Amino acid sequence: MIGVGKIKQYSNVLDKPLSKGKQEVSLSAFAFLFSELVQYNQTQVDNISELERSRLEDAGYAVGARVLELLCHRDKGNRREMRLLGILSFVHSTVWKVLFGKVADSLEKGTEHEDEYMISEKELLVNRFISIPKDMGTFNCGAFVAGIVRGVLDSAGFPAVVTAHFVPVEGQQRPRTTILIKFAEEVLVREARLG
Amino acid sequence: MPPVAPRSGDAIFASVERVNAELFTLTYGAIVRQLLTDLEEVEEVNKQLDQMGYNIGIRMIDEFLAKSGVSRCVDFKGTAEVIAKVGFKMFVGVTAFVTNWDADGTCCSIVFEDNPLVEFVELPDTCQGLNYCNILSGIIRGALEMVSMKTEVTWTRDMLRGDDAFELQVKLVKQIPEEYPYKDDE
């Protein structure tokens, strides 16, 4: 019977055992919520880049920072990745799998710049039900996911600039989304020192 | 086409696409955090969350009717049962139940304990007046308005404030009569 105190009361959220993360909600519940997030933030900005950069990314960053903490604690025995490739593959597989139910389609190193990496997804979960009006140009709701990635990386000690871009795919009607990660110089210097 | 038999909330939830509840929880948390930063006043945040819920509710009702096969509810009692048994389950995978009916059957409570919105959440002292889950009340209000019921939805119990369950009081204010025939050209 609900409402008779079956669930134990905890005076402090930290006393409560951490859930295993197997609970689910319907995709449409998330899609409705995400659409409200985007619509609300649209009312708070004057232009697209502000909407992507300082609003959606900011919301995602808050999620990413918490995801890192949660996963390191629950799945990795309070350890986190120290090396560049380790953290990238953590984002590409572990984080992706928990948040989006699958490993990301690809993780590549940029060909032109040493400090750039790309995570690509054919159909990013947050873009599933999104179509971009013509007057909004290159706007990509994946900025939220870029924010998540930046939140994870930054909190793990790998500051980076992370952006989301549509990339047309030959023979496909919808473009894929590429999350471009450009690490701060200090990260690469440290990485080189570690050898 | 013969009317589709109503399906249980569990059956629908099992058949729809689902996502990890933690993504949902943390995204909602990010929204509330942004609102608190932008609007500063807790009361304004409550209002905005309710408005967001309303926006969702008026769209969500379509998906609900399409997927549930629920036909017209004869009265408000039936409606409340359907929200608790089918609606909650189908969208957020939790079970709720209806209680505390008043004598004339226009006011009741929807009670539930599991709530994916509040995992990891604790209200700080500065936000004690915040109805953290206010989006839910907006959703119910919005969805019911689309099926001709004007309601007032208020929180009477909230686990984030130390209560033993979440309780939403749903009060039917007015049943808006449907007008026939519809005039398409207006």
Side-chain angles (χ1 to χ4, degrees), chain B residues 141-152:
Chain B
R141 184 169 65 85
L144 288 180
E145 198 168 301
M146 289 298 112
V147 288
S148 316
M149 291 178 191
K150 203 131 185 89
T151 51
E152 273 169 18

Side-chain angles (χ1 to χ4, degrees), chain A residues 1-7 9 11-14 16-21 23-30 32-37 39-41 44 54-56 58-59 62-63 66-67 70 74 98-100 125 128 144 148, chain B residues 13 16-24 26-28 30-31 33-35 38-39 48 51-52 55-56 59-60 63 67 90-97 111-114 116 118-122 135 157 159 162-165:
Chain A
M1 183 75 176
I2 304 170
V4 292
K6 181 191 72 187
I7 293 185
Q9 296 279 296
S11 55
N12 185 320
V13 73
L14 296 175
K16 202 174 139 191
L18 203 55
S19 80
K20 294 208 175 64
Q23 237 194 330
E24 293 180 310
V25 299
S26 78
L27 171 61
S28 47
F30 174 76
F32 278 125
L33 187 68
F34 185 70
S35 127
E36 283 306 313
L37 170 73
Q39 287 179 60
Y40 165 73
N41 278 309
Q44 302 292 307
S54 58
R55 303 294 314 195
L56 288 182
D58 172 65
V63 174
R66 286 160 181 80
V67 164
L70 175 67
R74 187 168 60 199
V98 167
L99 293 182
F100 308 124
L125 185 85
R128 271 284 284 283
F144 179 70
I148 296 181
Chain B
F13 189 63
V16 296
E17 270 190 83
R18 297 179 300 275
V19 294
N20 181 327
E22 280 166 355
L23 174 66
F24 181 73
L26 293 171
T27 304
Y28 186 66
I31 293 178
R33 195 188 56 92
Q34 275 195 332
L35 292 180
D38 293 347
L39 304 172
Q48 180 65 34
Q51 180 61 43
M52 286 176 160
N55 298 344
I56 294 177
R59 295 164 66 200
M60 198 177 236
E63 182 175 341
K67 287 197 177 143
M90 134 176 199
F91 286 108
V92 285
V94 304
T95 321
F97 83 116
V111 179
F112 53 100
E113 278 182 355
D114 281 335
V118 301
E119 186 81 40
F120 317 126
V121 177
E122 194 170 55
I135 200 159
R157 276 190 285 168
M159 288 170 88
D163 295 323
D164 55 352

Side-chain angles (χ1 to χ4, degrees), chain B residues 18 26 82 117 136 142 186:
Chain B
R18 297 179 300 275
L26 293 171
V82 163
L117 291 178
L136 287 178
E186 271 179 16

Side-chain angles (χ1 to χ4, degrees), chain B:
Chain B
M1 205 173 83
V4 191
R7 299 164 69 196
S8 78
D10 289 297
I12 306 168
F13 189 63
S15 70
V16 296
E17 270 190 83
R18 297 179 300 275
V19 294
N20 181 327
E22 280 166 355
L23 174 66
F24 181 73
T25 309
L26 293 171
T27 304
Y28 186 66
I31 293 178
V32 177
R33 195 188 56 92
Q34 275 195 332
L35 292 180
L36 282 168
T37 317
D38 293 347
L39 304 172
E40 290 168 11
E41 296 293 325
V42 167
E43 216 24 68
E44 290 301 311
V45 177
N46 285 341
K47 249 189 243 164
Q48 180 65 34
L49 285 174
D50 181 73
Q51 180 61 43
M52 286 176 160
Y54 178 83
N55 298 344
I56 294 177
I58 59 178
R59 295 164 66 200
M60 198 177 236
I61 184 75
D62 286 330
E63 182 175 341
F64 173 77
L65 293 173
K67 287 197 177 143
S68 66
V70 168
S71 53
R72 177 169 287 272
C73 294
V74 270
D75 55 9
F76 187 56
K77 274 199 163 164
T79 311
E81 285 291 332
V82 163
I83 295 173
K85 297 264 160 56
V86 187
F88 269 72
K89 188 78 206 181
M90 134 176 199
F91 286 108
V92 285
V94 304
T95 321
F97 83 116
V98 184
T99 183
N100 292 348
W101 281 104
D102 67 347
D104 43 355
T106 56
C107 183
C108 67
S109 290
I110 295 176
V111 179
F112 53 100
E113 278 182 355
D114 281 335
N115 182 352
L117 291 178
V118 301
E119 186 81 40
F120 317 126
V121 177
E122 194 170 55
L123 291 185
D125 290 340
T126 48
C127 296
Q128 287 303 318
L130 179 67
N131 289 323
Y132 188 85
C133 307
N134 224 21
I135 200 159
L136 287 178
S137 52
I139 291 176
I140 294 178
R141 184 169 65 85
L144 288 180
E145 198 168 301
M146 289 298 112
V147 288
S148 316
M149 291 178 191
K150 203 131 185 89
T151 51
E152 273 169 18
V153 187
T154 42
W155 290 98
T156 42
R157 276 190 285 168
D158 186 335
M159 288 170 88
L160 290 179
R161 298 187 187 169
D163 295 323
D164 55 352
F166 290 97
E167 179 174 339
L168 272 170
Q169 190 181 62
V170 185
K171 189 172 189 296
L172 179 65
V173 182
K174 195 169 129 200
Q175 194 123 23
I176 310 155
E178 281 188 63
E179 284 172 25
Y180 295 100
Y182 297 115
K183 286 183 191 136
D184 284 338
D185 51 347
E186 271 179 16

